[in-house]
Amino acid sequence: MTRLVVVGHGPTASRLVETLTGRGFAGTITVLGEEPRPAYDRVALTSYLAGKSAEDLTYPVPEGVTLRLGARVTGIDREARVVTTADGHAEPYDVLVLATGSSAFVPPVPGRELEGCFVYRTIDDLDAIREASQDAVSGVVIGGGLLGLEAADALRGLGLATHVVEMGGWLMPRQVDEGGGAVLRGHVESLGLNVHTGAGVREIVAGPDGRVNGLVKPDGETIETQVVVFSAGVRPRDELARSSGLDVGERGGIVVDDGMRTSDPAIYAVGECALHEGMVYGLVGPCFTMAEVAADRILGGGAAFARADMSTKLKLLGVEVAQFGAMDGALDVTFMDPVTGVYQKLFVSDDARTLLGGICVGDAAPYNTLKPFVGRELPGSPGELLFTGGPSNMDLPDDAQVCSCNNVTKGQICSAIADKGLTDVAGIKSCTRAGTACGSCVPMLKQILIKSGVEVSKALCEHFAYSRAELFDIVRVRGITTFSQLIAEHGTGRGCDVCKPTVASILASLGNGHILDGEQAALQDTNDHFLANIQRNGTYSVVPRIPGGEITPDKLIVIGEVARDFGLYTKITGGQRIDLFGARVEQLPLIWKRLVDAGFESGHAYGKALRTVKSCVGSTWCRYGVQDSVGLAIALELRYRGLRSPHKLKSAVSGCARECAEARGKDFGIIATEQGWNLYVGGNGGFTPRHADLFASDLPTDELIRIIDRFLMFYIRTADRLQRTSVWLENQGLDYVKEVILEDSLGICAELEAQMERHVAGYADEWRAVLDDSERLRRFVSFVNAPGTPDPSISFEPERDQVKPVLIPLETLRLEPARS
């Protein structure tokens, strides 16, 4: 019986053991792990600080595997085939696999040994960083790569004013070019982080207590900080192999062949410690492939490891970043939108027909469909593909790689669907492992299922087997009032960032109390946490409701005084309201106290709810007006204010057919006629503008309101999460919705009207309720560990007699013309 010993228990070792046991390895497997806990998902490490437990991230250990934790291997006797641990334990082997991983590189900076300096590598590291942050105000991350930005996000989440110091000329220099790095910097700085590129570290200095108190850059500038996190790269842990006489690379790494075998035929190496053809791989995909190749060779197979795909797609600090293929080419095509902060570039051959690679920052939509075409002839012009996102997935050749993390092709997925009768993404994941690592290919898996003729599950997420509409009915019919009750009775696990805000919206739509009360507060989307929209520099906007755009001089004066006293930027919005920008989180209650006392209430600009009902002046003032559009707009906005829905809702009322209020571009719009009102539904602006459809004509006011009540409640009941009325209407079909709403074909109209009446009767202003509750007010602080301290990273500069955030303007970035 073969005795297999694995040194190290990280994700790669876990994949190796899982593969071996899954393929019926006939022998014993002993794993010696240096850490005090089993292998866990290092890709999701930052989520540990966001609330996940170590158990949530831990990989399962297959049955029959002996795992010894806290067992650091100190020596290998290759002749006797025995490994020895630090506590003197000797473990014999027939086959040995080294999966020792890598260690964080700490540059030789004076002061690196001071208390308050950390690396960002393990759960223990994160525990230490969290403890140190409790007494800190500022933190610095050295390194602006993938892991460095993750670490910066973690420090920001711990309430620290955060700096990123990157020696290169821009952030993420290995994944994006200078233009992409500049756009990424704009996104990062808009969140309140301070970025220092082209900057090194002269020394880290201590305070009187001997702990870190500052970081000095080469130009002499000192950054005040109490926490320093090194994230300047990793080094393969090859010291055990080196001391055992195995071949190692000149710059580190255990030399392996195509079968992952070292210079000793009985010893394999996999993961970040292995050096294959001069390359050490730090991405999860290549490391998992190494583990599977080694497992196959140990089982007697002939699998071989080739140069791996280094493509990456991820979301850092809420910003999508992707890179695939080469970062250079004979020609390149660049698209940049400085308003939204989107940068996309394709590298192509000199005839512009072959795709060589691409970079995406801000919007990675082209990644999924274009990445498989690297090295192949493009199905269209490069410029066109950047805007369309590429062809459908079924146009991909069968050997195109869909999941780079697990090296799964489209052909393998299609075969699994056909041979195994797979009907959902979960089945594809289980059968092929596609989508089980970073998850970026999951949208492609859904599309492949659909194109294969499979009816895709409408499950909201992995925690609920129901669609949003089905969950809505479950909550409504069974009177469920908490997420905990819903997931305990009708779901699995603990929930995620998909189902939690969705259920929060459902509960709010059904009048389940204030959204910041109890468990509901933890479910909300980012903006709902503070009842305000977060802006580029980490400040918030304040938008009081101004029904129909009508406002008295006294209220205008109050808004002006508030803006003046708090130094806010003021802007009249497209929805006929006044937006006040630049409020720090701790200022929000003070600002709203002034506004509420003057008779204002929340405009719900932060929520998936009714935003505005825009209007022209109508028959009261306009010589063309045939109905009182302002009066109706005010009545509708006051009726539907605070109505939570799957997506934001906008409306408008025009007093005549000249349509000055642009009602046909709204979710529900009304245009006056001589006989009453015409109702239009399903319109929107945005990326894909849509004119609303005529729903009913010449309605008297009472009938109009009754039909809108039904329409909105039917939409709220049946739409998918984050689905605008336009998409919902196209999916449902205009004729069908007319039958339900106008003809009561389902017999639910009375119920829909009653549900709306309950909303109207139960409405209460969310901000007034916050101001009246000391517990709710406690959340409005910039730093949890320093409640009275404003965020020092927020600053402004003058522009046109107002203020604007101090940022590097995206519009100054160079836009390269298409040279193809």
Side-chain angles (χ1 to χ4, degrees):
M1 181 176 289
T2 303
R3 297 169 298 179
L4 174 69
V5 175
V6 182
V7 177
H9 195 222
T12 305
S14 178
R15 174 58 65 90
L16 172 81
V17 171
E18 180 190 356
T19 304
L20 286 169
T21 56
R23 294 180 56 181
F25 175 70
T28 63
I29 300 177
T30 301
V31 181
L32 305 175
E34 184 176 19
E35 286 192 62
R37 54 176 55 85
Y40 50 87
D41 185 359
R42 294 191 192 274
V43 175
L45 194 60
T46 302
S47 65
Y48 175 70
L49 290 179
K52 283 195 175 183
S53 66
E55 290 71 28
D56 293 332
L57 304 181
T58 299
Y59 294 118
V61 179
E63 188 176 346
V65 174
T66 300
L67 173 62
R68 295 190 66 225
L69 298 175
R72 182 171 63 88
V73 175
T74 55
I76 304 173
D77 186 335
R78 291 167 52 194
E79 289 189 11
R81 294 194 175 181
V82 172
V83 295
T84 306
T85 63
D87 61 2
H89 173 76
E91 188 71 44
Y93 68 85
D94 298 307
V95 177
L96 178 65
V97 181
L98 300 179
T100 48
S102 61
S103 58
F105 169 66
V106 178
V109 176
R112 64 188 181 279
E113 74 288 342
L114 290 173
E115 185 178 353
C117 290
F118 306 92
V119 295
Y120 196 86
R121 196 72 183 148
T122 68
I123 286 179
D124 288 344
D125 293 334
L126 268 61
D127 283 335
I129 291 170
R130 175 159 45 194
E131 183 177 355
S133 297
Q134 293 178 0
D135 299 319
V137 174
S138 176
V140 175
V141 176
I142 299 175
L146 285 173
L147 197 58
L149 293 183
E150 277 199 35
D153 192 25
L155 294 186
R156 184 178 73 109
L158 291 170
L160 302 185
T162 303
H163 298 257
V164 178
V165 176
E166 165 59 40
M167 185 174 294
W170 57 88
L171 296 174
M172 292 183 65
R174 289 192 174 187
Q175 285 77 29
V176 301
D177 62 1
E178 185 175 3
V183 173
L184 178 60
R185 176 175 184 154
H187 283 290
V188 171
E189 290 184 326
S190 73
L191 297 173
L193 279 75
N194 302 281
V195 177
H196 311 262
T197 54
V201 180
R202 179 193 295 174
E203 64 175 324
I204 300 168
V205 296
D209 58 357
R211 299 184 57 182
V212 169
N213 191 47
L215 179 147
V216 183
K217 294 162 57 180
D219 61 5
E221 178 189 355
T222 298
I223 302 172
E224 180 185 348
T225 182
Q226 297 78 45
V227 174
V228 173
V229 177
F230 288 96
S231 184
V234 295
R235 296 290 183 269
R237 292 194 58 185
D238 58 10
E239 59 271 20
L240 185 61
R242 194 181 296 270
S243 65
S244 304
L246 296 175
D247 290 349
V248 296
E250 184 178 344
R251 301 183 63 183
I254 308 168
V255 176
V256 296
D257 61 15
D258 291 349
M260 310 316 299
R261 202 186 300 260
T262 70
S263 54
D264 185 329
I267 302 178
Y268 295 79
V270 294
E272 294 178 327
C273 66
L275 178 72
H276 178 260
E277 294 187 355
M279 282 283 292
V280 173
Y281 294 92
L283 296 177
V284 65
C287 291
F288 281 175
T289 301
M290 287 181 178
E292 290 168 359
V293 168
D296 184 76
R297 288 295 183 101
I298 291 168
L299 291 166
F305 181 80
R307 277 190 171 269
D309 181 7
M310 298 295 286
S311 301
T312 55
K313 179 188 174 188
L314 59 154
K315 199 167 188 177
L316 291 167
L317 295 157
V319 183
E320 289 187 345
V321 179
Q323 185 274 323
F324 53 96
M327 290 178 61
D328 195 8
L331 301 173
D332 59 76
V333 181
T334 304
F335 166 75
M336 190 182 74
D337 182 352
V339 177
T340 59
V342 172
Y343 177 90
Q344 297 169 337
K345 177 182 279 190
L346 295 183
F347 300 99
V348 296
S349 59
D350 55 5
D351 61 0
R353 298 179 64 181
T354 303
L355 179 64
L356 303 179
I359 296 169
C360 301
V361 177
D363 178 10
Y367 174 87
N368 285 332
T369 47
L370 292 184
K371 181 180 75 72
F373 279 93
V374 171
R376 304 175 188 272
E377 185 171 337
L378 285 166
S381 71
E384 180 184 15
L385 293 174
L386 273 182
F387 286 96
T388 64
S392 66
N393 289 301
M394 290 308 288
D395 293 329
L396 300 177
D398 283 346
D399 62 345
Q401 190 180 73
V402 172
C403 176
S404 57
C405 291
N406 292 291
N407 195 25
V408 184
T409 66
K410 178 202 151 188
Q412 291 172 318
I413 295 170
C414 290
S415 295
I417 292 171
D419 298 342
K420 306 285 187 181
L422 305 180
T423 59
D424 56 21
V425 171
I428 294 177
K429 287 183 174 182
S430 176
C431 188
T432 69
R433 286 202 176 111
T436 58
C438 74
S440 65
C441 63
V442 169
M444 295 183 73
L445 305 184
K446 292 180 180 178
Q447 293 180 36
I448 291 174
L449 272 172
I450 294 171
K451 293 290 185 178
S452 298
V454 176
E455 186 176 348
V456 179
S457 168
K458 294 182 179 179
L460 180 65
C461 66
E462 62 187 279
H463 302 104
F464 288 101
Y466 304 98
S467 67
R468 180 201 170 276
E470 290 168 334
L471 283 177
F472 188 97
D473 281 337
I474 290 171
V475 172
R476 178 179 62 86
V477 172
R478 305 201 176 187
I480 292 174
T481 59
T482 66
F483 178 83
S484 297
Q485 181 186 357
L486 181 64
I487 201 167
E489 297 178 4
H490 302 281
T492 59
R494 303 183 182 183
C496 63
D497 57 1
V498 172
C499 60
K500 285 182 176 180
T502 301
V503 173
S505 174
I506 291 172
L507 293 171
S509 295
L510 292 170
N512 195 52
H514 199 282
I515 66 168
L516 297 185
D517 279 350
E519 185 190 62
Q520 281 214 103
L523 305 178
Q524 303 301 328
D525 283 318
T526 303
N527 287 328
D528 286 305
H529 280 301
F530 295 117
L531 304 183
N533 268 346
I534 192 168
Q535 302 300 316
R536 291 186 56 161
N537 64 337
T539 60
Y540 291 83
S541 65
V542 172
V543 188
R545 186 172 299 286
I546 302 176
E550 182 180 270
I551 187 168
T552 65
D554 286 342
K555 285 189 173 182
L556 273 175
I557 290 170
V558 170
I559 289 179
E561 289 175 340
V562 168
R564 179 197 62 205
D565 294 348
F566 288 91
L568 307 178
Y569 170 85
T570 57
K571 173 77 170 64
I572 296 174
T573 72
Q576 299 179 338
R577 300 196 289 193
I578 299 175
D579 207 340
L580 311 177
F581 293 87
R584 299 192 307 271
V585 65
E586 75 275 5
Q587 293 177 318
L588 291 173
L590 303 174
I591 292 169
W592 275 106
K593 177 69 166 62
R594 298 264 297 268
L595 294 173
V596 168
D597 287 348
F600 288 102
E601 61 182 32
S602 169
H604 283 96
Y606 48 82
K608 302 295 186 290
L610 177 75
R611 297 291 176 85
T612 62
V613 181
K614 186 177 178 179
S615 76
C616 64
V617 296
S619 59
T620 306
W621 293 91
C622 180
R623 66 185 187 276
Y624 299 112
V626 295
Q627 301 287 351
D628 179 12
S629 57
V630 177
L632 179 62
I634 292 172
L636 293 176
E637 186 159 344
L638 294 179
R639 182 171 183 81
Y640 303 128
R641 57 187 171 176
L643 180 65
R644 296 281 171 158
S645 57
H647 209 295
K648 62 186 176 185
L649 292 168
K650 294 184 178 181
S651 181
V653 183
S654 287
C656 74
R658 285 172 173 79
E659 246 282 70
C660 292
E662 302 168 327
R664 292 183 64 191
K666 302 296 188 285
D667 294 278
F668 62 103
I670 300 97
I671 300 177
T673 70
E674 295 286 353
Q675 291 76 35
W677 307 96
N678 286 350
L679 173 62
Y680 294 82
V681 296
N684 65 254
F687 281 114
T688 309
R690 184 184 190 275
H691 257 168
D693 295 309
L694 179 63
F695 198 72
S697 303
D698 296 328
L699 299 169
T701 302
D702 290 347
E703 181 66 12
L704 170 73
I705 293 175
R706 184 158 49 248
I707 291 174
I708 296 173
D709 285 354
R710 296 174 180 179
F711 175 81
L712 292 177
M713 279 304 173
F714 187 52
Y715 159 69
I716 290 171
R717 278 194 183 191
T718 59
D720 290 336
R721 62 179 290 269
L722 303 180
Q723 189 176 57
R724 289 294 296 265
T725 57
S726 55
V727 180
W728 169 79
L729 188 64
E730 290 178 349
N731 290 347
Q732 296 279 349
L734 179 63
D735 291 340
Y736 171 72
V737 176
K738 282 185 176 181
E739 291 173 2
V740 174
I741 302 303
L742 302 179
E743 301 171 19
D744 199 12
S745 61
L746 299 180
I748 61 172
C749 284
E751 190 177 330
L752 296 175
E753 292 173 20
Q755 190 174 339
M756 184 61 79
E757 289 299 335
R758 286 194 293 273
H759 162 74
V760 174
Y763 170 78
D765 176 38
E766 288 176 350
W767 260 109
R768 179 179 289 277
V770 166
L771 297 172
D772 292 340
D773 190 306
S774 58
E775 278 300 308
R776 295 170 183 158
L777 285 170
R778 289 178 61 186
R779 69 172 44 244
F780 292 91
V781 293
S782 289
F783 302 108
V784 175
N785 53 355
T789 304
D791 188 341
S793 68
I794 294 173
S795 58
F796 302 92
E797 59 186 5
E799 181 179 68
R800 295 186 295 276
D801 298 324
Q802 295 207 73
V803 296
K804 72 171 185 177
V806 177
L807 297 168
I808 295 178
L810 293 174
E811 60 268 19
T812 64
L813 300 178
R814 177 170 55 92
L815 176 59
E816 296 181 21
R819 298 199 297 268
S820 58

